[in-house]
Amino acid sequence: MGNPIIAADRVSKRFGEIDVLRSVSLPIKEGEVVCVVGPSGSGKTTLLRCFALLEQPSAGTIQMNGTVIASSKPTSAEKRAARAVRPEIGMVFQHFNLWPHMSVLENVIEAPLRVKKTPRDAAITNAEQLLQKVGLADKRDAYPIRLSGGQQQRVAIARALAMSPRVMLFDEATSALDPELRREVLIVMRQLATEGMTMIVVTHEMGFAHNVGHRVVFMDRGEIVEEGPPKAFFADPQTDRAKRFLMQFED
């Protein structure tokens, strides 16, 4: 793993009178899998949405390859930089957000056709390869309503991968699924990590964070309270707040 590919630098985010993020700095190296954990309302999703350029920081910056792509008052250059790198940042949401009127294949090829102007034949070939990758080659002509939740989420992953992102963001990608379907999705995510995809994963899947993550970041009340290698974090958390959080996952 080399230099940071994407980084939050002292990012704060306020909604009205509520400080959701408080001066969060988090650099992510290329090829790194960073798992962000913490209680509900700790700012995890908001941080991810700032990385995805879906929320504008109230203070601080988001940088990609050392170039500012988001700030509280973005310049024209920063806006151009954001437009240029947006396709390189893929995001998978808690709810699948597939287009119900489109088949699985059409869902996967839509963004490459419209955003990247990929020739249709090339987009279809790539989509078929991605559906094979996520174990859904036989569902290319099915519509989302005919798929299980786990299958829909795997289509959503294929759709994000179709843009050839350099960074993949996962926001509680398994939390809406039952245990068996969660496993299907986690297998795909584990495969991406093995292949060297840069990933920021907001999750309550402590097993995934422990076994797949390179680094665990624990957030509470809009701040990073603790971070470190998974083995150290889970075996010997350094803060009382992290210890209390992890107690709920003990048998």
Side-chain angles (χ1 to χ4, degrees):
M1 290 181 286
N3 295 323
I5 181 172
I6 194 166
D9 182 18
R10 293 169 292 181
V11 168
S12 296
K13 180 64 180 179
R14 169 174 283 198
F15 293 106
E17 297 300 312
I18 301 173
D19 290 313
V20 180
L21 294 175
R22 304 167 187 263
S23 196
V24 172
S25 292
L26 182 61
I28 311 293
K29 294 182 179 179
E30 192 157 12
E32 190 176 21
V33 178
V34 175
C35 294
V36 184
V37 303
S40 298
S42 58
K44 306 183 302 294
T45 291
T46 300
L47 177 60
L48 209 65
R49 288 177 63 84
C50 287
F51 274 123
L53 305 179
L54 297 174
E55 297 287 355
Q56 182 174 311
S58 302
T61 62
I62 301 291
Q63 302 169 18
M64 192 161 186
N65 296 320
T67 298
V68 175
I69 58 173
S71 65
S72 60
K73 296 180 180 179
T75 65
S76 297
E78 291 168 6
K79 291 177 181 177
R80 286 195 299 271
R83 286 194 294 270
V85 303
R86 186 173 273 112
E88 299 180 5
I89 305 170
M91 185 160 179
V92 178
F93 299 87
Q94 178 178 347
H95 299 289
F96 325 121
N97 296 338
L98 298 179
W99 290 295
H101 63 290
M102 294 183 177
S103 70
V104 164
L105 183 73
E106 290 168 335
N107 264 279
V108 177
I109 67 174
E110 180 71 4
L113 291 178
R114 289 185 177 272
V115 178
K116 300 186 83 171
K117 309 301 181 186
T118 304
R120 187 174 181 85
D121 288 349
I124 290 174
T125 297
N126 186 49
E128 289 175 337
Q129 292 172 348
L130 290 171
L131 291 173
Q132 181 75 39
K133 183 187 192 77
V134 300
L136 292 172
D138 60 330
K139 301 294 185 182
R140 72 188 293 279
D141 297 320
Y143 283 81
I145 196 172
R146 299 296 181 188
L147 304 180
S148 70
Q151 290 171 331
Q152 290 189 58
Q153 192 62 293
R154 284 184 281 154
V155 173
I157 293 173
R159 181 175 64 179
L161 291 172
M163 293 294 285
S164 301
R166 297 185 63 195
V167 178
M168 281 285 283
L169 313 176
F170 293 86
D171 184 19
E172 299 284 10
T174 61
S175 64
L177 305 174
D178 66 36
E180 185 175 350
L181 300 182
R182 286 205 301 267
R183 183 175 175 274
E184 297 175 358
V185 176
L186 289 170
I187 287 171
V188 174
M189 293 171 63
R190 183 187 293 261
Q191 180 184 353
L192 291 177
T194 301
E195 294 170 355
M197 174 64 74
T198 306
M199 298 166 62
I200 310 175
V201 183
V202 169
T203 186
H204 281 102
E205 299 282 355
M206 295 300 130
F208 180 89
H210 189 282
N211 297 318
V212 182
H214 296 114
R215 182 161 40 123
V216 175
V217 173
F218 173 66
M219 292 185 66
D220 188 32
R221 298 184 180 182
E223 298 177 322
I224 293 177
V225 176
E226 186 171 340
E227 62 179 298
K231 186 175 180 179
F233 176 77
F234 287 106
D236 187 23
Q238 298 301 296
T239 61
D240 289 341
R241 185 63 188 92
K243 290 175 183 175
R244 292 199 305 274
F245 174 75
L246 291 174
M247 282 177 62
Q248 66 184 301
F249 299 99
E250 295 177 357
D251 292 329

